Amino acid sequence: MNLELTDEQLALRDTVRRFLTEKASVTTHVRPMLDDQAGSTREVWSGLTALGATGVLVPQEHGGLGLTMVEAGVVAEELGAALYPGPWLSSAVAATRALTRTGSEAGSLLAGIADGSTIVTVGALSGERPEVENGILRGKISALPDAVAADVVLVLADDSGDTGLFTVDAISAGVSVMERTHVDPTRKLFDVTFDDVAAPRLASPSADDIQALIDDVLIAYAADALGAATAVMNMAVEYAKVRRQFDQPIGSFQAVQHLCVDMYETVELARSGVLHALWAADAAPPAERHLAAVRAKAFAGQLATVADTAIQVFGGIGYTWEHDAHLYLKRLLGWSTFLGGSDRYLQEVGKALL
């Protein structure tokens, strides 16, 4: 694996970063979307589509860029740094990998994801799954991301003891959606109930296929969290350079320097783990890929401490609603609880070491 980004990957990063700065900043886009259940405007979503971001993982034969998880991670990191609240991770990563990992023949769905005309989310990656009988879906999915923004929901469901991947029209009769209150307003989560909803089967994934999909999603979310942690760290360091007390920058005080070093150490250790996991998602054997994903999730809480430390550097202003630091903290706390807390992942890492 290569820990340095290629010229093409750097160009992708810079292009996405420039677009988000100009069209989807925290002030002009994220804050207005905090109470919006869709999380994104048509203009911003179309802009991401025009950059190829929605089709970064979609095979070229379906209109996408056909790139790897490393490139998807580049995009995810920039979206995390900008606190983008829309359905990119759900549609461009989770749904795309669900379709390609399971060998689904749903080329029209992939084409719709690539050209931005169809937003897709994936449900029941963990926990109890809904049930399908004779093509009719019944049950509930808790904490389904981006259900309101989605046109289609891909559901992992049990069908007579067999797990299948099924597709559901998000506005079908029998689909009820309730917003879920949680720590991070930049992530849109919903509890979705299916009451006798038609659900055609797309694929019959194996247990290994499902685990690979879960690993992909964890890795992509880890890249997003890395972007958020890097951004809030940089904000705090710049603040320490200009905020003055006793006629000198607070960054000259040893206590503040230690806080900044602690943040930097945590971010850079996470960066190496995320880069390895992104590479492993496509290039490593399944066992190595899975362990890389579990490691990224096991130490998720460490990234949340970066935002917590940054708020200490900012002082009182960091606790105010007007400052963005608390939004970064909430983004990282949301990552810490995504698909469960860190404990069981830490136990799995420990067993692997033994």
Side-chain angles (χ1 to χ4, degrees):
M1 63 170 292
N2 188 355
L3 290 174
E4 296 290 335
L5 296 179
T6 65
D7 290 343
E8 292 79 8
Q9 290 163 349
L10 289 171
L12 175 63
R13 181 199 67 185
D14 293 343
T15 301
V16 174
R17 181 178 298 176
R18 188 181 314 113
F19 171 80
L20 293 170
T21 300
E22 295 174 356
K23 302 294 184 182
S25 69
V26 175
T27 300
T28 63
H29 182 71
V30 177
R31 285 187 178 272
M33 290 287 108
L34 291 180
D35 295 322
D36 188 295
Q37 292 184 340
S40 189
T41 63
R42 185 180 299 274
E43 177 188 8
V44 172
W45 188 252
S46 297
L48 289 172
T49 299
L51 296 179
T54 57
V56 65
L57 291 172
V58 175
Q60 291 182 347
E61 59 266 30
H62 298 300
L65 299 182
L67 299 177
T68 71
M69 280 286 287
V70 174
E71 286 78 22
V74 169
V75 178
E77 187 173 346
E78 294 306 313
L79 294 174
L83 294 177
Y84 176 67
W88 185 84
L89 279 168
S90 292
S91 194
V93 178
T96 300
R97 295 296 267 195
L99 294 170
T100 55
R101 282 286 194 190
T102 60
S104 168
E105 298 297 327
S108 60
L109 266 183
L110 287 169
I113 291 171
D115 66 21
S117 62
T118 305
I119 296 174
V120 187
T121 188
V122 183
L125 291 178
S126 65
E128 186 175 353
R129 295 194 170 109
E131 295 183 354
V132 171
E133 184 177 355
N134 298 323
I136 301 299
L137 178 67
R138 302 180 184 89
K140 180 178 180 179
I141 299 177
S142 299
L144 177 64
D146 304 308
V148 166
D151 303 295
V152 175
V153 181
L154 300 180
V155 181
L156 289 168
D158 293 327
D159 185 2
S160 301
D162 175 39
T163 300
L165 181 68
F166 300 86
T167 179
V168 175
D169 188 331
I171 60 172
S172 296
V175 178
S176 59
V177 179
M178 179 174 294
E179 187 171 12
R180 186 182 184 91
T181 302
H182 66 116
V183 68
D184 178 15
T186 73
R187 289 275 186 239
K188 312 302 179 179
L189 299 181
F190 303 87
D191 294 332
V192 182
T193 302
F194 303 96
D195 186 8
D196 292 342
V197 180
R201 180 188 284 255
L202 289 179
S204 300
S206 66
D208 290 340
D209 293 334
I210 296 172
Q211 186 59 66
L213 170 60
I214 295 171
D215 290 345
D216 290 341
V217 172
L218 284 174
I219 292 166
Y221 271 77
D224 179 283
L226 174 63
T230 302
V232 74
M233 175 192 70
N234 289 337
M235 289 165 54
V237 170
E238 291 304 312
Y239 181 79
K241 292 178 182 178
V242 299
R243 176 71 169 93
R244 300 182 70 85
Q245 287 184 349
F246 308 109
D247 293 326
Q248 54 187 317
I250 64 171
S252 65
F253 304 145
Q254 191 175 54
V256 175
Q257 292 173 0
H258 280 301
L259 292 176
C260 293
V261 169
D262 288 344
M263 288 189 291
Y264 182 79
E265 180 183 33
T266 301
V267 166
E268 291 307 306
L269 286 173
R271 185 179 308 282
S272 62
V274 170
L275 284 173
H276 174 249
L278 290 166
W279 168 83
D282 288 312
E288 182 178 351
R289 178 212 67 230
H290 177 61
L291 185 57
V294 169
R295 282 172 176 159
K297 177 58 183 175
F299 296 100
Q302 295 299 314
L303 282 178
T305 67
V306 173
D308 189 38
T309 302
I311 289 175
Q312 295 180 53
V313 174
F314 286 119
I317 193 174
Y319 290 88
T320 65
W321 174 248
E322 289 76 17
H323 202 281
D324 295 335
H326 72 95
L327 291 176
Y328 283 95
L329 175 59
K330 291 175 180 178
R331 181 83 158 208
L332 293 168
L333 288 173
W335 158 237
S336 297
T337 59
F338 178 68
L339 293 184
S342 295
D343 287 354
R344 69 180 180 91
Y345 296 94
L346 283 167
Q347 290 176 0
E348 188 169 350
V349 171
K351 289 180 181 178
L353 291 175
L354 292 175

